[in-house]
Amino acid sequence: MKRLAGWGGAFVLLALLAAPAAAQEADAWRLPIETRTLDNGLTVVVSEDRSSPTVGVSVVYHVGMRLEPENRTGFAHLFEHLMFQGTPTAPKGVFDRVIQGGGGRLNGSTRPDYTNYIETAPVSALRPILWLEADRMKTLDFSETNLKNQQDVVKEEIRVNVQNQPYGLFFVFDMNRLAFTKWANAHDGYGSFKDLEGATLADVEAFHRDYYGPNNAVIGIVGDISPEDAFAMVEAYFGDIPARATPARPDVSEPLNTEGRREAQADALAQVPALAVGWKMPARGTPDHAPMAVLSQLLAGGDASRLYQGLVKGREQLLNIDGGLGWPLGHAWDYDGPTLMTLFALYKPNVEPDAVLAAIDEEIARVVAEGVPADTLAAAKTKLLADYVNSLEPFISRADELAKAQLLWGDADTLNRVPGWVNAVTVADVQRVAKTYLTEANRTVIDRVPAAMAPARGIAPPAAPAPAAVSAQD
């Protein structure tokens, strides 16, 4: 849905972000947020916005790739697919037809720390949406047919997005494998075929029982409805779902790395070489978090960034560069465990990867030694916050971010605090985090080259891509 709701509030916020600090304090713009927790532990976050007769809904569960069972890589993602396969009450297809048939849209995604299910539709569809979400929170259509169907769908996704795609998301899952030590953080969240095929109905039923109870979820609702009306609807549809015991969350924490990690790979489908670089980041909510978000913007936030201007434009070593804190499986504010600042760049075949790394180190060293001009820092903050506000514009996205903030931070009002944290970052803060985290000892590097370049680099030839399959999904 291309229409974006609530532009007036966004313009006010953008103006305030650019205003002097005194003006911000005197007339700060805030998202209206009301929160309530039901007796069964389900938390509901509502933000009323009458600018459009629509509503956005997000149901976020506190489970993702990081908590899937060992020897079941990709299981959290597989389970997300199974959530769309119907229930005994609402068979497969009903969910899609009810929402899309009324002009709405829906989606779901699996991330390291959560799985989210999002919808947007006319506000008249809110009751059916909540009924459908409550229905699949209670139970699913656990059947061998549905399981086999979605195992095949996820395997095909791996073929299409990894095995038969140039670069094959190596900057995500290979980077995690190399950078992290604990299995929860390091394993391939897309999954191996062996692990996916090994999933049983008993696994599926246990996962739903353990992680998909109301006490492990947050619902975000944004749009043309009052908080009291929204709370009443959620109580009506979810209130009688009993809380369920949730396994204790394991300790997934890891220290910064003390020795650089590096790997070289050959790619049968790539045309030019690529480099992925990652550094372990500060824990969420620590004093270094916001400064690192600002530094990420300064270094890798688009065409104006230091690395783009220095390596793509200036030295002309790279063809492009992308990345950032939490990229690409999330953003700077939605993680709940060890994460990376990752860079992904295509570089010219006549350039050595060590020369690219040296240039990146040079740009970082300049920040550490010289800081950044005040106007450069202000511009980076403004761009960071403008992107942040724009991401909250659609009701569906705002509902999702509110629910995630409540789930991961324990307080949806975190969304209102982020601008203040960003604006408080100083040049000294940026220098400190650059010196602490963007070090060679804390750095992980993967060099991925086309198969034709592999022998000259002493890299083993790549395995042949797996043949694509026809989707088993109806």
Side-chain angles (χ1 to χ4, degrees):
M1 189 172 78
K2 294 185 178 180
R3 179 184 181 188
L4 301 181
W7 279 108
F11 283 136
V12 171
L13 180 54
L14 284 172
L16 287 169
L17 294 177
Q24 293 179 32
E25 292 175 4
D27 192 19
W29 181 93
R30 298 179 63 84
L31 285 172
I33 298 172
E34 298 286 342
T35 304
R36 184 171 299 178
T37 301
L38 307 189
D39 290 344
N40 59 11
L42 177 66
T43 301
V44 189
V45 183
V46 181
S47 184
E48 182 178 355
D49 188 329
R50 302 289 186 173
S51 63
S52 169
T54 58
V55 68
V57 178
S58 175
V59 183
V60 184
Y61 293 90
H62 204 176
V63 63
M65 301 170 186
R66 214 188 298 268
L67 294 187
E68 61 193 6
E70 290 200 42
N71 302 316
R72 288 291 180 267
T73 59
F75 190 80
H77 180 212
L78 170 65
F79 194 88
E80 173 218 319
H81 280 249
L82 289 168
M83 282 283 282
F84 290 96
Q85 297 306 295
T87 73
T89 307
K92 180 180 177 180
V94 170
F95 206 107
D96 291 357
R97 286 196 300 271
V98 168
I99 296 173
Q100 294 175 335
R105 63 182 175 92
L106 68 157
N107 208 341
S109 68
T110 308
R111 296 292 185 259
D113 298 302
Y114 61 84
T115 306
N116 59 336
Y117 302 91
I118 57 177
E119 299 93 20
T120 188
V123 70
S124 58
L126 181 56
R127 285 188 181 276
I129 289 172
L130 294 176
W131 183 92
L132 288 163
E133 287 288 8
D135 183 51
R136 64 179 178 179
M137 182 183 283
K138 294 173 185 175
T139 189
L140 297 177
D141 181 2
F142 299 116
S143 71
E144 292 286 356
T145 299
N146 282 341
L147 176 58
K148 178 62 168 62
N149 177 279
Q150 294 310 302
Q151 285 169 323
D152 290 342
V153 169
V154 173
K155 287 192 294 181
E156 185 182 347
E157 278 195 31
I158 296 171
R159 293 187 185 99
V160 171
N161 294 333
V162 179
Q163 296 176 344
N164 292 283
Q165 189 71 229
Y167 312 111
L169 296 176
F170 83 97
F171 49 88
V172 181
F173 297 115
D174 286 356
M175 178 62 71
N176 287 346
R177 169 182 54 78
L178 195 57
F180 294 118
T181 301
K182 291 185 177 179
W183 185 89
N185 306 316
H187 73 275
D188 182 350
Y190 231 145
S192 73
F193 281 21
K194 178 182 177 182
D195 285 356
L196 289 167
E197 290 166 352
T200 67
L201 278 182
D203 293 332
V204 172
E205 292 178 2
F207 200 76
H208 189 274
R209 177 198 67 219
D210 290 346
Y211 294 107
Y212 274 69
N215 46 305
N216 202 43
V218 174
I219 296 180
I221 300 174
V222 172
D224 190 16
I225 189 168
S226 71
E228 287 305 317
D229 288 344
F231 292 142
M233 288 186 195
V234 173
E235 179 68 50
Y237 296 114
F238 291 83
D240 63 349
I241 303 175
R244 304 198 285 268
T246 302
R249 182 177 172 83
D251 179 10
V252 299
S253 62
E254 295 190 20
L256 300 185
N257 291 338
T258 56
E259 185 176 359
R261 305 179 183 191
R262 189 163 179 178
E263 184 172 290
Q265 303 173 350
D267 191 318
L269 300 174
Q271 298 298 308
V272 295
L275 199 67
V277 185
W279 298 266
K280 282 184 173 178
M281 290 286 97
R284 176 185 54 75
T286 60
D288 286 347
H289 184 180
M292 196 67 235
V294 174
L295 177 59
S296 174
Q297 178 68 38
L298 280 162
L299 290 175
D303 292 358
S305 68
R306 288 288 183 93
L307 294 179
Y308 186 90
Q309 290 296 318
L311 280 71
V312 178
K313 292 292 189 181
R315 298 173 184 82
E316 297 185 351
Q317 295 173 321
L318 305 183
L319 299 172
N320 62 19
I321 188 167
D322 206 346
L325 171 53
W327 181 91
L329 291 183
H331 56 67
W333 315 105
D334 71 345
Y335 61 94
D336 195 26
T339 195
L340 303 174
M341 174 180 165
T342 303
L343 305 176
F344 169 62
L346 302 182
Y347 64 93
K348 296 181 178 181
N350 63 343
V351 173
E352 291 296 321
D354 284 348
V356 177
L357 292 174
I360 293 172
D361 287 343
E362 182 180 330
E363 295 295 339
I364 294 168
R366 283 180 56 209
V367 172
V368 173
E370 304 169 12
V372 294
D375 58 346
T376 301
L377 180 63
K381 291 179 182 181
T382 298
K383 182 62 167 67
L384 178 62
L385 291 174
D387 290 344
Y388 175 77
V389 172
N390 286 338
S391 73
L392 297 175
E393 268 300 302
F395 286 174
I396 189 172
S397 301
R398 199 182 311 171
D400 194 41
E401 294 301 331
L402 283 167
K404 289 189 297 185
Q406 181 65 42
L407 187 87
L408 301 176
W409 293 78
D411 186 0
D413 197 56
T414 297
L415 297 191
N416 285 322
R417 299 192 184 105
V418 166
W421 295 341
V422 170
N423 280 318
V425 172
T426 66
V427 173
D429 291 332
V430 170
Q431 291 176 288
R432 180 185 73 251
V433 295
K435 183 178 181 179
T436 302
Y437 299 93
L438 303 189
T439 66
E440 185 175 354
N442 189 41
R443 186 179 69 190
T444 300
V445 177
I446 302 178
D447 188 26
R448 182 111 162 183
V449 303
M453 294 178 60
R457 296 280 185 91
I459 301 171
V470 177
S471 175
Q473 189 171 27
D474 292 340

